[in-house]
């Protein structure tokens, strides 16, 4: 069996992965808070742990891996989005508006992550479906002296867990000195964190022994992980931004609630993402969602196929900061187009697996795996390349990269049209008509009108040019806008 080695954030070293039960390998990854579209940074852990999920399924068997990724559907940002809809005149109850918003956002998330080639996890629990388990865990923590009720809140006693700070490598006193912590008169200690908080009549809430309220963020993952994976499981993953306080708090409350278990044995964290060398932010104008890329609404101006986004992610090791650039995306598109074209054989060759598997088994070294793919392509090993691409979740059977051509002669003018992916016949006809019109203008030496048509077509996503073989060639770009092309008829 392939030996897998993973970097454990808790021990700060690479370790041989030995599952608690090889017949049931268990992994939990923190999922999104579903109030809006997933931005590009949200997608990096999805792709990272999708590769790990695929690797574990390959090594231990598809039915031997349980992957849980949650949806946080109770949150102040979700409440604010629903309240804004009601303020805008929607007469429905806040509960109905929240459910509509979270259902809508989960639908968006699934569509966007599907486009990146990510497999659906085994379980995708919604926090609101596990409130009872959260209340039960909180009651147990109070009974053991690890939590206390105060003014409708329940708080975790951080100093009751001696190992607090081991994951992030900080002491409690250092954290108090260097961090901004919420100071409330009902807290015994500034570092104590909320397990339960009260809800007024305007906010979602559930009945509990401490009054009507809702759970704190950290208890959600602990309760759902315990219910679906048990007191001990193999891997817990997420972005490095969650290491503290979220994951630190998960460990403390879970190990105190279930001292018979060890919670997660291996902790894995992906590094953060930048855009063109800078932190992604709306104020810098470099913030965009996955859907913005897929639809072409970003600074690059073209529709980025999901496989291209995935390839850019995989080109950097998950524990290294990643920089998204227009140049990387364009190079990735060209590389994948060439690889997909080369990997056309229908009978994949297992040799490709042997080229990439050792790299993936070495702490998900996808950058080295991609280097192996370059070698396969350079040697013309298309069948092996196809096998390796599939293991990385890059699907050559998609259509965006396929190229089509149309050539015809009209009134003595030779016209060509080229495109990628699948295009409706009417769009090809329109492109051909515009190419013919442009060639005719040039033939009649109406160069100003020809230049205007070429510029307008280019703005629409259609490049017009003359070649040695053709009087006019129209190339339909990835970011073409059919509505604008229609207006140029």
């Amino acid at each position: 069996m392939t030996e897998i080695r993973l970097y454990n954030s808790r021990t700060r070293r690479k370790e041989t992965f030995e599952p608690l039960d090889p017949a049931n390998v268990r992994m939990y990854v923190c999922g999104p808070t579903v109030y809006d579209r997933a931005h590009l940074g949200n997608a990096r852990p999805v792709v990272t742990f999708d590769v790990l999920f695929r690797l574990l399924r390959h090594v231990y068997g598809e039915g031997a891996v349980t992957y849980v990724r949650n949806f946080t559907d109770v949150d102040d940002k979700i409440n604010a989005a629903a309240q804004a809809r009601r303020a805008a005149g929607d007469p429905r109850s806040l509960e109905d508006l929240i459910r509509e918003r979270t259902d809508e956002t989960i639908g968006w998330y699934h569509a966007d992550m599907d486009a990146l080639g990510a497999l659906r996890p085994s379980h995708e629990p919604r926090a609101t479906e596990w409130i009872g388990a959260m209340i039960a865990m909180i009651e147990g923590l109070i009974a053991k002296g690890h939590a206390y009720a105060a003014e409708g809140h329940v708080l975790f006693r951080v100093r009751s867990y001696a190992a607090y700070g081991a994951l992030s490598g900080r002491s409690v006193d250092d954290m108090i000195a260097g961090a901004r912590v919420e100071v409330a008169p009902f807290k015994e200690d500034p570092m104590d964190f909320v397990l339960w908080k009260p809800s007024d009549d305007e906010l979602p809430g559930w009945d509990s022994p401490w009054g009507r309220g809702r759970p704190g963020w950290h208890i959600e993952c602990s309760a759902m992980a315990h219910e679906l994976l048990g007191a001990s499981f193999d891997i817990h993953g997420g972005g490095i931004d969650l290491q503290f306080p979220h994951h630190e708090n998960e460990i403390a409350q879970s190990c105190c609630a279930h001292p018979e278990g060890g919670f997660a044995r291996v902790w894995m964290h992906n590094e953060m993402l930048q855009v063109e060398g800078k932190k992604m932010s709306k104020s810098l104008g470099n913030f965009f969602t996955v859907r913005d890329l897929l639809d072409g609404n970003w600074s690059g101006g073209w529709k980025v196929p999901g496989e291209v986004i995935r390839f850019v992610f995989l080109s950097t090791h998950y524990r290294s900061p990643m920089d998204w650039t227009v140049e990387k995306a364009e190079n990735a598109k060209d590389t994948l187009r060439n690889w997909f074209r080369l990997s056309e054989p229908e009978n994949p060759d297992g040799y490709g697996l042997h080229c990439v598997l050792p790299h993936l088994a070495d702490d998900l070294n996808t950058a080295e795996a991609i280097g192996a793919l370059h070698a396969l392509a350079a040697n013309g090993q298309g069948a092996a390349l196809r096998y390796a691409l599939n293991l990385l979740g890059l699907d050559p059977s998609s259509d965006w990269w396929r190229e089509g051509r149309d050539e015809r002669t009209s009134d003595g003018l030779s016209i060509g049209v080229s495109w990628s992916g699948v295009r409706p016949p009417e769009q090809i006809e329109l492109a051909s008509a515009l190419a013919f019109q442009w060639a005719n203008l040039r033939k009649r030496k109406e160069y100003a009108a020809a230049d205007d048509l070429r510029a307008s077509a280019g703005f629409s996503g259609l490049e017009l040019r003359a070649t040695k073989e053709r009087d006019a060639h129209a190339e339909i770009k990835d970011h073409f806008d059919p509505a604008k092309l229609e207006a140029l008829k």
Side-chain angles (χ1 to χ4, degrees):
M1 180 178 288
T2 301
E3 179 182 272
I4 298 174
R5 291 179 58 79
L6 300 173
Y7 183 85
N8 189 343
S9 300
R10 195 170 190 177
T11 61
R12 297 170 182 79
R13 64 175 182 265
K14 198 183 296 185
E15 302 170 345
T16 299
F17 177 65
E18 297 178 352
L20 292 164
D21 179 4
N24 184 20
V25 183
R26 287 160 286 168
M27 175 171 70
Y28 187 96
V29 175
C30 292
T33 300
V34 286
Y35 66 94
D36 208 345
R37 289 275 189 185
H39 61 68
L40 190 61
N42 299 142
R44 194 179 189 195
V46 174
V47 173
T48 294
F49 293 103
D50 179 68
V51 173
L52 179 57
F53 186 35
R54 290 171 182 271
L55 174 64
L56 294 172
R57 280 159 48 106
H58 177 81
V59 173
Y60 294 98
E62 290 189 9
V65 183
T66 302
Y67 174 18
V68 178
R69 187 181 65 215
N70 70 295
F71 287 118
T72 294
D73 60 345
V74 52
D75 182 83
D76 290 341
K77 291 180 179 179
I78 298 172
N79 298 339
Q83 288 170 325
R85 289 190 178 188
R86 191 165 64 175
D90 197 311
R92 289 173 293 171
S93 69
L94 191 64
E95 288 75 12
D96 287 343
L97 291 171
I98 287 172
R99 184 70 188 197
E100 179 185 71
R101 180 65 172 181
T102 55
D103 285 350
E104 178 182 49
T105 306
I106 288 172
W108 292 341
Y109 187 82
H110 277 149
D112 293 347
M113 298 309 115
D114 288 351
L116 302 188
L119 301 173
R120 298 280 180 95
S122 314
H123 302 283
E124 295 182 287
R126 295 173 66 131
T128 53
E129 296 170 350
W130 297 89
I131 300 295
M134 297 172 203
I135 291 173
M137 181 175 279
I138 294 170
E139 288 180 310
L141 288 168
I142 292 175
K144 292 181 175 72
H146 294 293
Y148 58 94
E151 299 184 20
H153 295 75
V154 180
L155 297 109
F156 183 84
R157 283 191 178 96
V158 166
R159 292 187 189 272
S160 74
Y161 181 59
Y164 191 85
L167 180 68
S168 55
R170 316 177 190 187
S171 72
V172 175
D173 291 332
D174 287 343
M175 285 186 271
I176 292 175
R180 296 178 181 177
V181 294
E182 181 184 358
V183 178
F186 50 79
K187 280 189 175 185
E188 294 179 355
D189 188 290
M191 286 301 296
D192 292 349
F193 59 86
V194 172
L195 301 174
W196 189 265
K197 54 188 174 183
S199 292
D200 59 31
D201 293 339
E202 290 297 309
L203 293 173
W206 291 263
D207 292 333
S208 80
W210 319 286
R212 184 174 180 275
R214 59 197 190 278
W217 174 34
H218 312 301
I219 197 68
E220 297 175 12
C221 288
S222 285
M224 290 185 285
H226 178 263
E227 293 300 311
L228 293 168
L229 299 176
S232 297
F233 56 94
D234 297 298
I235 299 169
H236 194 312
I240 192 66
D241 56 316
L242 299 181
Q243 187 180 53
F244 181 85
H246 184 52
H247 290 165
E248 197 78 74
N249 292 351
E250 277 190 74
I251 292 171
Q253 62 201 8
S254 295
C255 289
C256 289
H258 304 287
E260 75 283 2
F263 200 43
R265 298 178 70 215
V266 178
W267 285 83
M268 298 178 65
H269 295 93
N270 64 274
E271 260 291 351
M272 303 300 286
L273 174 141
Q274 296 181 323
V275 175
E276 302 290 349
K278 298 179 180 178
K279 181 179 178 180
M280 186 171 68
S281 70
K282 292 181 180 179
S283 62
L284 293 176
N286 65 349
F287 178 95
F288 39 81
T289 67
V290 174
R291 180 52 50 181
D292 288 335
L293 288 172
L294 295 171
D295 290 347
N297 299 320
W298 67 297
S299 56
W302 49 278
K303 293 183 178 181
V304 187
E307 291 93 343
V308 172
I309 300 172
R310 185 181 183 95
F311 185 91
V312 175
F313 283 154
L314 298 182
S315 298
T316 301
H317 192 276
Y318 77 94
R319 285 194 291 112
S320 296
M322 195 206 89
D323 190 18
W324 173 276
T325 68
V326 175
E327 182 181 7
K328 283 183 179 179
E330 291 174 342
N331 290 340
K333 182 178 67 172
D334 292 340
T335 297
L336 283 178
R337 178 172 283 147
N338 291 334
W339 286 359
F340 286 179
R341 186 186 301 114
L342 178 63
S343 67
E344 278 295 271
E346 293 298 324
N347 297 314
D349 181 351
Y351 175 71
L353 174 66
H354 299 301
C355 291
V356 300
L357 188 58
H359 301 300
L360 297 184
D362 182 18
D363 194 32
L364 303 186
N365 198 333
T366 54
E368 290 294 332
I370 285 176
L373 295 182
H374 278 291
L376 290 174
N379 293 327
Q381 295 172 281
L385 181 63
R386 186 181 187 88
Y387 203 109
L389 286 166
N390 284 329
L391 185 62
L392 284 167
L394 297 165
D395 186 8
S397 67
S398 58
D399 287 324
W400 65 267
W401 61 273
R402 300 183 187 279
E403 297 178 344
R405 291 186 175 276
D406 179 270
E407 298 176 356
R408 60 187 70 182
T409 301
S410 180
D411 292 343
L413 295 173
S414 177
I415 305 298
V417 181
S418 63
W419 63 92
S420 298
V422 177
R423 305 294 186 205
E426 58 270 20
Q427 293 174 8
I428 298 167
E429 289 297 325
L430 178 57
S432 180
L434 289 172
F436 176 72
Q437 182 180 347
W438 182 70
N440 242 330
L441 288 170
R442 285 166 53 84
K443 182 180 180 180
R444 297 197 299 266
K445 299 185 179 181
E446 297 177 25
Y447 297 119
D451 289 344
D452 288 344
L453 176 60
R454 183 182 184 183
S456 299
F459 178 74
S460 303
L462 183 73
E463 180 183 298
L464 297 174
R465 63 179 183 271
T467 69
K468 291 181 179 179
E469 298 80 15
R470 305 290 171 198
D471 294 298
H473 182 91
E475 181 181 352
I476 303 175
K477 297 291 189 178
D478 292 338
H479 61 280
F480 82 104
D481 186 337
K484 293 179 179 178
L485 285 173
E486 186 69 20
L488 292 176
K489 270 188 175 179

